[in-house]
Amino acid sequence: QVQLVESGGGLVQAGGSLRLSCAASGNIFSISTMGWYRQAPGNQREFVAGISSGGTTNYADSVRGRFTISRDNAKNTVYLQMNSLKPEDTAVYYCNANLLPAGRSWDNYWGQGTQVTVSS
């Protein structure tokens, strides 16, 4: 059974940094795009950053220059380094991946989410 497990969330003061990790586990044949989304209370889930299997990245305008996405293909893990955090970055952050489980078809998977709270 495929799972995406996030870690690294927490409480930080404005201007601080956090690093999120998301590890994909299970019998996985291949992973293409991996990414991060977030959802603040009362808001829809929104795209934060994405990275292809080849390392091409893209970012939401609101985080570009402050957040950095990276991945370790050998570990099936994606990271999100978040610097210069702002109170408006407060949200539940979700990992997302398009992956091919062994013996199955390509599908899209979500992690359970990790809370990031930035105090002013």
Side-chain angles (χ1 to χ4, degrees):
Q1 183 174 349
V2 172
Q3 282 188 312
L4 299 180
V5 180
E6 300 109 333
S7 60
L11 173 64
V12 64
Q13 288 188 331
S17 298
L18 283 174
R19 189 192 194 209
L20 305 183
S21 299
C22 171
S25 64
N27 198 359
I28 299 169
F29 186 76
S30 183
I31 303 177
S32 60
T33 303
M34 303 185 81
W36 292 93
Y37 290 72
R38 66 187 181 186
Q39 187 168 18
N43 291 356
Q44 290 187 332
R45 191 172 298 188
E46 64 177 6
F47 171 78
V48 175
I51 185 168
S52 71
S53 57
T56 301
T57 59
N58 61 314
Y59 297 92
D61 289 343
S62 59
V63 307
R64 187 175 290 112
R66 299 188 297 122
F67 291 9
T68 302
I69 189 171
S70 61
R71 65 190 283 174
D72 184 333
N73 291 330
K75 296 181 178 180
N76 289 341
T77 299
V78 63
Y79 306 96
L80 186 67
Q81 178 66 43
M82 305 184 293
N83 298 330
S84 302
L85 282 160
K86 305 175 181 179
E88 51 263 45
D89 294 317
T90 295
V92 177
Y93 283 70
Y94 295 91
C95 175
N96 179 269
N98 291 310
L99 62 85
L100 179 64
R104 297 177 63 182
S105 302
W106 283 97
D107 207 346
N108 188 258
Y109 292 81
W110 291 93
Q112 81 286 355
T114 185
Q115 177 70 46
V116 171
T117 303
V118 185
S119 62
S120 57

